[in-house]
Amino acid sequence: MLLTLASALLQPPGFFLALVLVSLVLLVLGLRTLGWSLLLAACFGLYLSATGAGARWLVMPLENRYPPLPHLQPGVGAIVVLGGGEVARPPGDGGDMANARTLMRLQAAAKLAKLSGLPIVPSGGAPRYGAPPEAATMARLLRQSFAVDNPIWIEGKSFNTAANAYDSKKLLAGHGIQRVYLVTSALHMPRAMAWFRRAGLDPIPVPCDYRLDRNLGSGYESWLPRAIYLEASSEAIHEYLGLFWLHLQERGWVRGRANSRQ
């Protein structure tokens, strides 16, 4: 819970709203110079993170770290596809539905499965109390919506990227598999690769679900604020925070699963 709260307050728009509150308190206390400075910084930061220019500056270094898969690789034993969250059961539908992010990942995994013939490991636990594991919903969609007939091995316990990696490692160890294709959003790929390597697997990145148009220009349109850019900026900062947290664990400064010997 504390990590979730901290993450919300360190990402836009939460961080800038918190900065506005701090600046208002400082103004009430009579610290006008510092208060106005923080207020202007919060407004500028919120504006910049809501523009294409600002989002591009944050997103591209993450999304460009791993290029698209050029061709099939030798020695790969399975395809691991990570869940990106679910939405509530739609009216009149017979089961839970994945969100757009997960559907993009499933599309990429299904295409790769049909080319390679490899088994698929959908990875993701229950998104909320009483709901089925996300991986079970993903497996149903792979069969029904993407017509995949490859073997599907469900990993339905994990609740974050670190758990995705370690729980997938346990499942795959039973099949003698270490080298895998790793399918997730391009923005999420650097952190996912780091955790899967840390867990002892040999992942080959298969990025998908790119947030920004690669042809996004630098004209005046890129400086117009839009909600879609604010969302992309927020997700990018979330990934940077996750990578920083992993770095702290690897250095031994905080305790966590990165120090586990599982």
Side-chain angles (χ1 to χ4, degrees):
M1 181 179 293
L2 290 178
L3 285 177
T4 301
L5 178 61
S7 178
L9 292 177
L10 291 174
Q11 296 172 222
F15 175 77
F16 299 116
L17 293 176
L19 204 58
V20 167
L21 291 177
V22 172
S23 67
L24 292 177
V25 170
L26 292 174
L27 289 172
V28 170
L29 295 176
L31 302 174
R32 300 181 63 82
T33 300
L34 182 57
W36 281 114
S37 298
L38 287 180
L39 184 60
L40 289 174
C43 293
F44 178 75
L46 183 60
Y47 160 73
L48 187 63
S49 61
T51 65
R56 186 182 181 89
W57 181 72
L58 290 168
V59 169
M60 291 303 185
L62 294 170
E63 289 199 334
N64 290 340
R65 187 173 301 185
Y66 295 101
L69 182 70
H71 48 74
L72 295 181
Q73 302 292 311
V76 181
I79 301 165
V80 179
V81 53
L82 306 185
E86 289 183 301
V87 296
R89 179 173 298 183
D93 190 82
D96 283 7
M97 176 56 65
N99 63 15
R101 184 174 308 157
T102 301
L103 288 174
M104 293 293 289
R105 298 177 186 183
L106 291 177
Q107 181 184 51
K111 179 180 178 180
L112 184 57
K114 292 175 182 179
L115 289 173
S116 66
L118 293 172
I120 303 180
V121 179
S123 177
R128 58 189 180 278
Y129 180 77
E134 185 178 5
T137 301
M138 295 164 69
R140 175 175 60 83
L141 291 170
L142 284 167
R143 295 285 192 224
Q144 296 179 0
S145 300
F146 294 99
V148 170
D149 57 8
N150 302 47
I152 296 179
W153 305 332
I154 293 176
E155 186 290 290
K157 298 180 179 179
S158 55
F159 53 90
N160 59 27
T161 305
N164 286 143
Y166 282 96
D167 292 339
S168 294
K169 166 69 173 179
K170 291 179 182 178
L171 186 154
L172 291 165
H175 298 276
I177 295 173
Q178 184 177 13
R179 187 171 172 83
V180 298
Y181 290 118
L182 179 59
V183 181
T184 190
S185 302
L187 190 64
H188 180 232
M189 186 61 77
R191 185 160 60 99
M193 286 290 290
W195 275 114
F196 272 71
R197 286 170 174 161
R198 186 71 181 175
L201 290 167
D202 180 16
I204 298 172
V206 184
C208 61
D209 182 32
Y210 289 84
R211 292 292 186 275
L212 298 180
D213 184 355
R214 292 359 240 174
N215 297 319
L216 181 65
S218 57
Y220 78 92
E221 297 93 344
S222 67
W223 295 99
L224 297 177
R226 294 180 60 188
I228 188 173
Y229 295 138
L230 180 61
E231 180 183 12
S233 296
S234 180
E235 291 176 3
I237 291 176
H238 176 80
E239 293 302 322
Y240 285 119
L241 290 172
L243 288 168
F244 179 66
W245 184 255
L246 175 58
H247 174 72
L248 293 180
Q249 292 188 33
E250 290 176 336
R251 296 294 294 271
W253 293 343
V254 296
R255 299 182 65 181
R257 201 155 191 177
N259 295 319
S260 172
R261 298 191 178 275
Q262 298 179 48

